[in-house]
Amino acid sequence: MHRKTKKVGTASPGRRVLLGQQIISGLASGSLYALTAVAVVVVFRNTRTINLAQGDFAMVGAFLAMVLIKDMHLNYYLALAAVVVACILLGILTERIVMRPIADSDWLTLFTATLGVYYILHGVAGWVWGRDTKAFPVTFDPTPINFAGTIVSQGHLINMGWAIAIGLVLYVFFKYTKQGIAMRAVTDDPDTAQLMGIPVRFIVLLTWGMAGFLAAFAGVLLSPIVYVSPEMMDQVLIKGYVAAVFGGLYSIQGAIIGALMIGVAENLAGGYLGAHYKTATAFAMIVLLLTFRPQGLFGIQKRREI
Amino acid sequence: MTLLRLANVEANYGAVRALRGISISVAEGAIVCLLGANGAGKSTTLKAISGVVRPSAGTIEFDGKLLNGMSPTHIVGLGVAQVPEGRKIFKDLTVIENLQMGAYVRKDARGIAADLDFVFHLFPRLKERTRQLGGTLSGGEQQMLAIGRGLMAKPRLLLLDEPSLGLAPILIADIFNALRQINKEHGTTLLIVEQNAHVALKNANFGYVLQVGQVAVEGSAEELRRRKEVVESYLGSSEQTPARAAS
């Protein structure tokens, strides 16, 4: 699948590339990668494994949104709400059916199980909806908007707006709600959390539900850009994972910053070096980071505590 | 009235048979201490009461209810909280968040607020540090926070695992003063696991000495203080090395 990721809106006339514009549209893609990166971190912190199926939760969400909007003529926002519910259920079912029975196994077993979910969802999506790439019924809005002196397409602004809103929801959840604080307590020390009466299994279930919640937005918001296919999230998952590693795998803020950096870096590489350098940039970044700072940009605190 | 009764409780901790038929009872309103060498089964006893270690035989009854097989969440809800060994503060949570987690099973907002006031009245230093991360507190402050967090569950029975561990003598005295105050003002029953027999027997009403998963000696604190040599003969010696891992 060598579909070029279309960057509508930033394709300025001629070959002249405006730096500010490149950076802003990089931040826009980065903010969508952040949805996946944060989900990878949230699941890793409470299960000690990387969820390879994270991208596919989003992919299933994207197909569902397509069916709801195109075939059932549902309003975009209603469809989004339905997809959010469906993806949360998908996350919860993954935990209950696949992960919980093997919860006490080592991380490699868990990791392999998520790989299994990845292939199952790929297969099921291809079987139900077909393997070819489909256009999403809602298109990316390329209308140029003057944003702080640079021209940005409206679609990018909308995507960034969503990402910021979701970020705020997560911030409030983790900082001010009982279940959010309990989720952090389980990250910190699951045995003690259990001793305090915190139902750890239920908290882990919530964690997977949150992964589904984030996937719903990732799928629906990315669909107009990468189009819909069983493989649509593969590269995004890798970028999200790289961003999560960037942040040290425990830090949500770190994952967000990592995702934004990857978005900007690949966009600059795409603009100045050529489109085919985009994905390579993310990998070059992770190789450099792991060489010089293996604990991630924000991993030092975690190490000191252990 | 007996609040907690363990009858012939056996339990394995990992591969070790840590409890080999322990029987103890704790009267409501009392301060009872569990003494014993490393590996005698003191911590496992507390873990079994809290439901994180499942007993393989025997019964654990709290307030007439059988705790065997109940989830830790349910047991905390019944009014049995634990202050774990090594304090186990949530390091990345603030002081206030740690205290909130102690009250996780509760829903009575007003009662929670009242207990928070009591904790701050007991340990004013915690009140000065509500927004500080748990991991940045000193050892003494962490122990105060651990006890405070246990109290936030509004326990009728508070289990404490080695509250004096790693603290300077002056801090140990402070902690035990606070424990006596909790017992007196709130009527909370305390079951304290200690290696420091001297401090424990000075503050408790009753004591048990465990050896290799069984009760070797029991008696009022006064009596055990008199039979100091007998008690001490069971402590400190680490001949029972096979069971050491189970402490």
Side-chain angles (χ1 to χ4, degrees):
Chain A
M1 298 299 296
H2 283 287
R3 189 177 353 89
K4 280 186 201 119
T5 355
K6 251 176 99 182
K7 270 198 301 95
V8 199
T10 53
S12 48
R15 307 194 95 235
R16 277 181 304 121
V17 179
L18 288 166
L19 181 65
Q21 200 169 311
Q22 286 289 343
I23 289 175
I24 295 213
S25 56
L27 289 174
S29 336
S31 61
L32 296 190
Y33 300 157
L35 297 173
T36 300
V38 168
V40 166
V41 165
V42 165
V43 169
F44 176 79
R45 297 200 305 187
N46 283 2
T47 64
R48 302 287 179 266
T49 196
I50 299 293
N51 175 24
L52 286 178
Q54 180 61 36
D56 285 10
F57 292 172
M59 177 269 292
V60 170
F63 271 111
L64 281 178
M66 196 183 73
V67 169
L68 289 174
I69 295 170
K70 200 154 104 186
D71 302 342
M72 299 174 72
H73 308 290
L74 208 61
N75 165 290
Y76 178 76
Y77 295 100
L78 282 178
L80 179 59
V83 168
V84 167
V85 173
C87 286
I88 290 175
L89 279 176
L90 185 57
I92 285 177
L93 284 176
T94 303
E95 199 277 335
R96 284 311 297 260
I97 296 170
V98 182
M99 303 309 289
R100 187 173 297 194
I102 55 169
D104 294 328
S105 314
D106 61 310
W107 72 268
L108 187 60
T109 308
L110 302 175
F111 180 73
T112 311
T114 70
L115 181 63
V117 175
Y118 169 95
Y119 276 113
I120 290 169
L121 292 180
H122 260 65
V124 169
W127 175 54
V128 175
W129 292 298
R131 307 213 68 90
D132 52 325
T133 299
K134 295 172 179 66
F136 195 66
V138 177
T139 51
F140 185 88
D141 184 353
T143 316
I145 285 183
N146 193 325
F147 180 77
T150 50
I151 308 296
V152 191
S153 51
Q154 187 158 336
H156 278 325
L157 281 183
I158 291 172
N159 287 347
M160 278 194 274
W162 275 111
I164 290 167
I166 294 162
L168 287 176
V169 167
L170 290 194
Y171 179 80
V172 168
F173 175 77
F174 279 114
K175 192 87 186 152
Y176 299 108
T177 72
K178 183 166 151 179
Q179 304 303 350
I181 298 169
M183 230 186 236
R184 284 161 52 214
V186 170
T187 299
D188 206 320
D189 183 346
D191 293 339
T192 303
Q194 190 188 36
L195 204 56
M196 297 303 119
I198 297 173
V200 174
R201 288 265 124 239
F202 170 70
I203 297 293
V204 170
L205 190 71
L206 276 187
T207 302
W208 284 90
M210 179 179 281
F213 170 83
L214 289 165
F217 287 97
V220 173
L221 296 179
L222 275 161
S223 290
I225 304 172
V226 303
Y227 303 123
V228 184
S229 76
E231 290 82 21
M232 64 179 279
M233 290 299 293
D234 287 1
Q235 298 226 342
V236 178
L237 171 71
I238 290 168
K239 286 168 190 165
Y241 167 68
V242 168
V245 174
F246 240 91
L249 274 173
Y250 278 92
S251 164
I252 290 178
Q253 289 93 323
I256 292 171
I257 292 169
L260 294 176
M261 284 171 67
I262 288 172
V264 171
E266 68 164 24
N267 228 35
L268 291 177
Y272 290 106
L273 302 174
H276 45 286
Y277 285 101
K278 282 187 79 174
T279 304
T281 308
F283 287 103
M285 284 171 75
I286 198 66
V287 169
L288 284 175
L289 181 87
L290 290 178
T291 308
F292 295 108
R293 212 177 153 75
Q295 70 273 40
L297 280 185
F298 304 88
I300 191 89
Q301 203 181 354
K302 205 72 214 169
R303 271 158 72 100
R304 195 194 50 212
E305 282 158 12
I306 297 168
Chain B
M1 192 204 118
T2 304
L3 186 62
L4 176 78
R5 176 177 284 129
L6 274 69
N8 304 312
V9 172
E10 294 177 21
N12 299 317
Y13 191 65
V16 182
R17 211 170 135 234
L19 303 185
R20 308 179 176 194
I22 280 201
S23 300
I24 63 175
S25 59
V26 176
E28 177 137 40
I31 302 182
V32 175
C33 63
L34 278 183
L35 307 172
N38 252 339
K42 308 183 300 285
S43 290
T44 310
T45 305
L46 294 195
K47 287 192 169 99
I49 299 168
S50 283
V52 293
V53 165
R54 290 286 153 98
S56 50
T59 55
I60 302 174
E61 266 179 76
F62 172 77
D63 195 24
K65 295 177 200 77
L66 195 64
L67 299 189
N68 296 51
M70 258 188 207
S71 73
T73 304
H74 198 161
I75 291 171
V76 175
L78 286 179
V80 182
Q82 185 172 152
V83 179
E85 183 180 355
R87 329 195 231 284
K88 302 286 169 61
I89 292 305
F90 296 120
K91 297 182 193 69
D92 295 335
L93 267 55
T94 62
V95 166
I96 192 86
E97 287 169 343
N98 266 281
L99 293 170
Q100 284 169 344
M101 287 300 99
Y104 182 91
V105 299
R106 296 172 66 183
K107 292 195 169 60
D108 55 325
R110 202 175 293 171
I112 292 174
D115 285 336
L116 196 61
D117 282 345
F118 178 68
V119 169
F120 286 150
H121 156 74
L122 206 57
F123 303 118
R125 279 164 78 176
L126 294 181
K127 195 173 184 176
E128 297 159 17
R129 304 181 192 285
T130 47
R131 304 277 157 214
Q132 206 171 312
L133 289 183
T136 65
L137 299 179
S138 71
E141 289 162 352
Q142 287 196 358
Q143 188 56 269
M144 293 172 194
L145 180 55
I147 293 170
R149 185 178 60 180
L151 286 175
M152 290 306 293
K154 201 181 181 61
R156 289 175 65 197
L157 171 66
L158 186 61
L159 312 170
L160 296 112
D161 199 345
E162 306 263 14
S164 78
L165 194 73
L167 296 185
I170 178 123
L171 280 173
I172 297 179
D174 282 353
I175 293 292
F176 273 88
N177 283 340
L179 292 179
R180 279 210 312 275
Q181 199 179 342
I182 291 163
N183 175 254
K184 211 162 133 194
E185 290 182 19
H186 261 210
T188 311
T189 307
L190 305 179
L191 177 59
I192 308 176
V193 158
E194 258 303 336
Q195 290 220 39
N196 188 336
H198 176 72
V199 173
L201 290 174
K202 205 168 84 186
N203 290 283
N205 319 115
F206 201 88
Y208 290 91
V209 183
L210 305 190
Q211 191 195 24
V212 216
Q214 282 178 320
V215 175
V217 182
E218 61 178 273
S220 70
E222 197 188 337
E223 189 187 335
L224 293 179
R225 277 199 299 269
R226 265 190 278 115
R227 298 169 62 197
K228 210 174 155 199
E229 303 76 35
V230 181
V231 171
E232 275 173 2
S233 72
Y234 289 101
L235 310 178
S237 73
S238 48
E239 288 147 11
Q240 289 81 35
T241 36
R244 205 187 163 91
S247 77

